[in-house]
């Protein structure tokens, strides 16, 4: 338990009062002072945990970006192929072999330092990257000229899923979900001949379905002992994917070509915005009813995003920019003020 500065001052006054009235001995008073001082939490203390999370997040993001750029850069891939002047099958085997000690080191470090959550999970990233390289080369070896590369992406997702469950690595499981999303996009694109529509759906509408699948999968995982620890991650990923897809739908509708989209009025797409708003409202209601703060917060965030997107769409051209940004500033100030009030109320309840 931690206490703040104000609570510490009150306790100090009480101890001083008891000591002055001889209700407790001076030795006991000093013991009480030493005890409560260890519980004092300075609100001005820097949140090093958040800094650690942010630092590792950007480290992982930059490393993933570097790997992606490496894979798409022909010159670098030629250089890598020159350095590994062997068959694609042997390259796949070497990268798979390299993944074994990397995952072993990650598991060993997690057992030795379980408190270092972020750095431990970040180590699993290196194993995930070697697995990706292994499967890319394996796909190149078995390539029969059909250009059907989504199968390699699906195999990568399955591999990440198996490794994530076997090693209880949430980061690897996130890679599995993201890779599944990439596979779903490329698979539907390949099946449609890379046309804008698949079963009369553009990409955002397709990913509404994908987000719903992850959403229900996350709830189903909660009832499976082996998958329970991945339930929340899957649910939140599905919820974010669903709302991002609904947001894009509220802007572009079910149009797959920009030329067709430019020719329609924004008001004709309003029913997608209504659907987006209804979805956000349902998330807020669900969060309030079942005390699910994550769902409620995501619902509120996307409801605001919906309102501000519509504001930009309908008033950017019609309002003078001074008036436009003044209204925007006032709205943000009102939201901030209300959020501050709610935060203070919540803080008072916790103190009680």
């Amino acid at each position: 338990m931690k206490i703040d500065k104000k609570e510490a001052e009150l306790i100090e006054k009480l101890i001083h009062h008891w000591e002055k009235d001889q209700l407790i001995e001076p030795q006991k008073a000093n013991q009480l002072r030493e005890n409560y001082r260890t519980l004092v939490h300075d609100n001005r203390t820097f949140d090093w945990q958040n800094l650690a999370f942010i630092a590792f997040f950007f480290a992982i993001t930059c490393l993933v970006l570097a790997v992606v750029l490496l894979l798409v850069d022909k010159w670098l891939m030629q250089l890598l192929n020159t350095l590994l002047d062997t068959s694609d099958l042997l390259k796949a085997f070497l990268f798979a072999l390299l993944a074994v000690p990397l995952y072993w080191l990650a598991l060993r470090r997690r057992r030795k330092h379980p408190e270092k959550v972020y750095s431990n999970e970040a180590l699993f990233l290196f194993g995930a990257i070697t697995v990706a390289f292994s499967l890319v080369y394996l796909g190149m070896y078995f390539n029969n000229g059909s250009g059907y590369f989504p199968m390699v992406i699906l195999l990568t997702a399955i591999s990440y899923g198996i490794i994530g469950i076997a090693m209880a690595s949430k980061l690897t499981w996130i890679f599995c979900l993201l890779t599944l999303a990439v596979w779903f996009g490329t698979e539907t694109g390949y099946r449609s001949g890379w046309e804008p529509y698949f079963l009369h759906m553009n990409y955002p509408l397709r990913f509404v379905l994908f987000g719903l699948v992850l959403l229900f999968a996350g709830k189903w995982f909660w009832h499976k002992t082996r998958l329970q620890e991945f339930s929340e991650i899957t649910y939140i990923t599905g919820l974010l994917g669903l709302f991002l897809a609904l947001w894009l739908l509220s802007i572009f509708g079910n149009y797959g070509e920009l030329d067709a989209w430019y020719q329609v009025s924004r008001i004709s797409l309003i029913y997608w915005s209504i659907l987006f708003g209804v979805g956000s409202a349902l998330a807020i209601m669900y969060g309030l009813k079942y005390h699910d703060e994550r769902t409620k917060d995501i619902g509120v965030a996307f409801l605001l995003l919906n309102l501000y997107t519509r504001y930009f769409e309908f008033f950017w051209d019609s309002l003078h920019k001074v008036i436009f940004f003044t209204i925007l500033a006032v709205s943000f100030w009102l939201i901030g003020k209300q959020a501050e009030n709610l935060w203070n109320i919540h803080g008072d309840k916790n103190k009680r």
Side-chain angles (χ1 to χ4, degrees), residues 224-240:
K224 303 295 177 183
T225 305
R226 187 70 174 172
L227 300 171
Q228 198 172 73
E229 63 182 309
F230 303 110
S231 172
E232 186 178 11
I233 293 175
T234 307
Y235 175 79
I236 296 299
T237 304
L239 196 62
L240 289 172

Side-chain angles (χ1 to χ4, degrees), residues 92-107 123-134 160 163 167:
F93 175 75
L94 289 173
F95 276 110
L97 199 63
L98 179 61
V100 175
L102 289 173
Y103 277 118
W104 178 79
L105 285 171
L107 284 171
L123 283 176
F124 281 95
L125 174 66
F126 295 102
I129 289 171
T130 56
V131 168
F133 271 110
S134 176
Y160 286 156
I163 293 168
M167 300 189 176

Side-chain angles (χ1 to χ4, degrees), residues 32-179:
L32 289 172
R33 286 190 182 97
E34 289 178 7
N35 184 268
Y36 89 78
R37 282 169 184 167
T38 62
L39 301 175
V40 175
H41 172 66
D42 189 350
N43 291 326
R44 295 169 296 176
T45 302
F46 190 79
D47 195 337
W48 291 105
Q49 186 181 20
N50 277 343
L51 178 61
F53 173 78
I54 292 168
F56 282 120
F57 174 79
F58 279 108
I60 290 169
T61 303
C62 291
L63 190 56
V64 170
L65 182 60
V67 172
V68 171
L69 291 174
L70 172 62
L71 290 172
V72 299
D73 193 294
K74 292 182 180 179
W75 183 82
L76 287 174
M77 282 301 291
Q78 280 184 337
L79 178 63
L80 185 62
N81 288 331
T82 302
L83 293 173
L84 296 171
D85 190 16
T86 57
S87 69
D88 290 332
L89 183 61
L90 184 57
K91 290 173 190 173
F93 175 75
L94 289 173
F95 276 110
L97 199 63
L98 179 61
V100 175
L102 289 173
Y103 277 118
W104 178 79
L105 285 171
L107 284 171
R108 183 172 177 270
R109 192 175 189 279
R110 189 169 65 182
R111 282 195 295 267
K112 193 174 181 180
H113 303 286
E115 74 284 357
K116 297 181 179 180
V117 179
Y118 301 132
S119 56
N120 291 340
E121 284 293 322
L123 283 176
F124 281 95
L125 174 66
F126 295 102
I129 289 171
T130 56
V131 168
F133 271 110
S134 176
L135 290 170
V136 165
Y137 280 116
L138 191 65
M140 292 169 65
Y141 176 77
F142 286 109
N143 181 28
N144 57 6
S146 65
Y148 183 55
F149 64 90
M151 181 56 70
V152 177
I153 301 173
L154 179 60
L155 287 174
T156 306
I158 293 171
S159 300
Y160 286 156
I162 294 171
I163 293 168
I165 294 170
M167 300 189 176
S169 170
K170 292 182 178 179
L171 181 64
T172 307
W173 185 257
I174 291 172
F175 269 94
C176 168
L177 298 178
L178 295 178
T179 310

Side-chain angles (χ1 to χ4, degrees), residues 317-329:
D317 294 325
S318 59
L319 283 179
H320 191 283
K321 294 303 177 282
V322 174
I323 299 173
F324 182 90
F325 284 107
T326 300
I327 294 172
L328 207 59

